[in-house]
Amino acid sequence: MIDACLSGLEASYRAQVDESGVVDFDRIQPGDVNQELTVGMMNLDWSSVIFIKNFKPIHQQGRTIIWSATAGFCLTKTAPSMLLRQVAATKVVGWFDMKVMVKFLEVSGPAPFVLGPMMLISTERSARAGHTSWIGGRFIHHIVPAQKEHVRIMLNNGLSLVIKDTVSRLNKKIIEANQIFDLQQRIQRLVAQQNGPDSPTIGVSPQADAYVLRYFDFHDLYFTELVQLLSLIHI
């Protein structure tokens, strides 16, 4: 398991991680990774992604490191935001739904991407555009402060990583991502109930989750208002 998780690292950096058990994303560089994300690897299990690190030097083409529990470390020229848009385009729940759920639940932005076992939370947010990284919330076991403005995250695979963030912010974002997950689970249960053998032929079941029905109304209203706004912009 650990061997697969650490594949794709250059030998010298792999030796450091083997010795310390820590991946320091404040120090790792694209040159420490020797595996490219190929077109075929776009089909990798995105729920296995532990971290997505964006590098965008001034006046240079950016590089992104993806760390996966099953595929190890790999590089791509695609920015994290574009990667997540590509992933969302293949799912039943997209970015629009994520943003509506954030507004409905009245949690803080930016929106995470949550779908089943996939829980990607934004981190290392910079004032410079394009520098957002993402962490897989499902892999976080415990978070403690590290050096100034950094945290050390103990993972459930026994390794640790160091990133630029705060304990309070990350814990808050994990709680909020779990709120979105819980809402999605309630939606799934209602959909299954409405399509089950005992579902009503007309209307909604009396046992339907009222909270989810409120969300559906909120979603429809938000979409209608967005369409109206866009139509006014294009007049």
Side-chain angles (χ1 to χ4, degrees), residues 16-67:
Q16 294 178 36
V17 176
D18 285 339
E19 182 178 352
S20 65
V22 178
V23 180
D24 189 340
F25 275 95
D26 203 42
R27 297 186 178 183
I28 193 172
Q29 294 297 314
D32 295 318
V33 179
N34 58 26
Q35 182 174 232
E36 289 285 337
L37 180 68
T38 62
V39 174
M41 285 185 67
M42 277 304 295
N43 296 321
L44 66 79
D45 178 7
W46 288 90
S47 65
S48 74
V49 171
I50 300 172
F51 201 75
I52 303 175
K53 173 74 176 184
N54 190 25
F55 295 88
K56 192 172 176 61
I58 298 175
H59 307 308
Q60 295 182 37
Q61 184 176 25
R63 299 284 277 169
T64 300
I65 292 178
I66 302 172
W67 184 18

Side-chain angles (χ1 to χ4, degrees), residues 14-198:
R14 170 64 187 268
Q16 294 178 36
V17 176
D18 285 339
E19 182 178 352
S20 65
V22 178
V23 180
D24 189 340
F25 275 95
D26 203 42
R27 297 186 178 183
I28 193 172
Q29 294 297 314
D32 295 318
V33 179
N34 58 26
Q35 182 174 232
E36 289 285 337
L37 180 68
T38 62
V39 174
M41 285 185 67
M42 277 304 295
N43 296 321
L44 66 79
D45 178 7
W46 288 90
S47 65
S48 74
V49 171
I50 300 172
F51 201 75
I52 303 175
K53 173 74 176 184
N54 190 25
F55 295 88
K56 192 172 176 61
I58 298 175
H59 307 308
Q60 295 182 37
Q61 184 176 25
R63 299 284 277 169
T64 300
I65 292 178
I66 302 172
W67 184 18
S68 161
T70 55
F73 287 78
C74 52
L75 283 171
T76 177
K77 294 178 182 177
T78 307
S81 56
M82 180 58 69
L83 281 173
L84 291 186
R85 280 198 291 270
Q86 292 174 359
V87 173
T90 67
K91 305 299 181 182
V92 295
V93 175
W95 275 118
F96 176 78
D97 303 289
M98 287 294 113
K99 292 175 181 177
V100 175
M101 289 178 187
V102 164
K103 288 186 175 295
F104 177 75
L105 294 168
E106 298 181 340
V107 298
S108 63
F113 193 84
V114 182
L115 184 59
M118 185 190 309
M119 181 183 286
L120 294 171
I121 298 168
S122 66
T123 184
E124 296 194 318
R125 293 181 61 79
S126 170
R128 270 169 48 194
H131 270 256
T132 299
S133 297
W134 296 81
I135 187 164
R138 299 288 187 210
F139 294 92
I140 297 175
H141 181 266
H142 188 58
I143 310 169
V144 296
Q147 64 268 34
K148 184 180 179 182
E149 298 182 343
H150 289 73
V151 293
R152 177 168 174 162
I153 301 170
M154 275 64 80
L155 304 173
N156 54 22
N157 62 4
L159 295 172
S160 299
L161 70 152
V162 174
I163 61 173
K164 187 175 181 179
D165 212 321
T166 65
V167 175
S168 58
R169 180 195 174 275
L170 270 180
N171 281 329
K172 178 184 178 185
K173 300 303 290 185
I174 292 168
I175 291 170
E176 292 175 346
N178 277 310
Q179 288 179 258
I180 292 174
F181 175 75
D182 290 342
L183 174 59
Q184 291 176 353
Q185 294 298 104
R186 292 173 73 165
I187 291 170
Q188 288 183 8
R189 286 194 292 270
L190 177 59
V191 171
Q193 183 184 68
Q194 290 298 110
N195 293 290
D198 299 324

